[in-house]
Amino acid sequence: KAGVTQTPRYLIKTRGQQVTLSCSPISGHRSVSWYQQTPGQGLQFLFEYFSETQRNKGNFPGRFSGRQFSNSRSEMNVSTLELGDSALYLCASNDRDGIYNEQFFGPGTRLTVL
Amino acid sequence: GNSVTQMEGPVTLSEEAFLTINCTYTATGYPSLFWYVQYPGEGLQLLLKATKADDKGSNKGFEATYRKETTSFHLEKGSVQVSDSAVYFCALPGGSSNTGKLIFGQGTTLQVKP
């Protein structure tokens, strides 16, 4: 099976702009989670989607949002970008019917906010 | 809620040295435990997992044993190689067993010198 794919791999934006990142999970996986990775805060959970519904949400402001489509592909959106939003954004998928919570990660999207 | 504490790095070793990276956790019940590895410029890869107390996860020469008495899941390898240079993360589910949310340690950077 193909792994988790994320597009684009790199993005450069300026403060105040908005950005949309895309994630395609492993075929058959219905759960998609998003994480933000920064040197200072490490890996932080943003949200999880399952069957087009948000099931879990981390402690991020409302500028961070997401959605999931019927084919399980997911997008996350960040509006009104701030310098502190510069990070590696990782998407992960799993078969939520499993009991081990094993997450399969994509390569990430590196967002730089200038 | 669940949490995980990992030893701080960086850890610098010579090739063929013994590796230990400490990880302790706080959790309700006995959740699955994971070690992920991140190579430069890449996303996270699952290195090994243990799904119940006293389980030993192993992969690529790495091992970790789920110790409920000491709430630990230390990562070990008998003889490291230069190719093992990466960042290692200990992780566990963020809540109930059926969640897409993982809680990660702060990561330990391993550098192996020839």
Side-chain angles (χ1 to χ4, degrees):
Chain A
K1 284 184 179 179
V4 177
T5 58
Q6 292 186 247
T7 57
R9 292 292 311 276
Y10 301 92
L11 268 178
I12 300 176
K13 293 286 186 179
T14 56
R15 280 181 299 173
Q17 288 186 310
Q18 74 159 9
V19 66
T20 299
L21 312 181
S22 179
C23 171
S24 293
I26 291 172
S27 177
H29 286 191
R30 294 185 291 165
S31 166
V32 174
S33 298
W34 289 88
Y35 295 81
Q36 182 195 64
Q37 185 178 23
T38 59
Q41 299 299 316
L43 278 156
Q44 294 187 287
F45 173 79
L46 281 155
F47 29 66
E48 178 203 8
Y49 286 86
F50 178 74
S51 293
E52 302 179 64
T53 301
Q54 188 181 88
R55 286 300 183 96
N56 286 288
K57 188 176 189 304
N59 188 26
F60 278 82
R63 300 186 296 107
F64 292 82
S65 63
R67 60 177 175 169
Q68 187 179 35
F69 301 94
S70 59
N71 62 357
S72 294
R73 190 177 70 85
S74 177
E75 290 181 347
M76 70 163 281
N77 183 277
V78 187
S79 63
T80 318
L81 284 166
E82 301 177 359
L83 294 178
D85 297 333
S86 294
L88 180 66
Y89 290 89
L90 292 163
C91 165
S93 75
N94 76 345
D95 178 356
R96 209 170 187 267
D97 293 338
I99 62 172
Y100 299 133
N101 313 104
E102 181 175 337
Q103 302 281 305
F104 297 86
F105 283 83
T109 295
R110 171 75 61 185
L111 172 64
T112 301
V113 182
L114 302 177
Chain B
N2 294 353
S3 65
V4 60
T5 302
Q6 219 177 304
M7 68 180 280
E8 292 188 19
V11 174
T12 302
L13 296 173
S14 298
E15 209 165 20
E16 299 184 2
F18 184 85
L19 168 71
T20 299
I21 300 177
N22 291 338
C23 170
T24 57
Y25 67 89
T26 302
T28 302
Y30 302 104
S32 299
L33 300 175
F34 306 93
W35 277 101
Y36 280 85
V37 59
Q38 186 175 35
Y39 298 100
E42 298 184 11
L44 275 67
Q45 299 176 23
L46 179 66
L47 181 59
L48 55 82
K49 66 183 179 187
T51 59
K52 60 182 186 293
D54 299 324
D55 258 4
K56 177 184 284 189
S58 61
N59 185 28
K60 300 181 181 180
F62 291 90
E63 293 183 339
T65 301
Y66 192 157
R67 305 263 188 218
K68 65 178 181 181
E69 303 85 1
T70 54
T71 62
S72 65
F73 191 55
H74 304 323
L75 182 68
E76 297 181 336
K77 186 175 185 182
S79 176
V80 294
Q81 306 300 312
V82 172
S83 57
D84 294 326
S85 298
V87 183
Y88 293 81
F89 295 91
C90 186
L92 77 169
S96 66
S97 61
N98 197 18
T99 175
K101 175 181 179 180
L102 287 177
I103 302 294
F104 288 89
Q106 63 267 45
T108 302
T109 300
L110 170 65
Q111 183 179 21
V112 181
K113 296 185 174 180

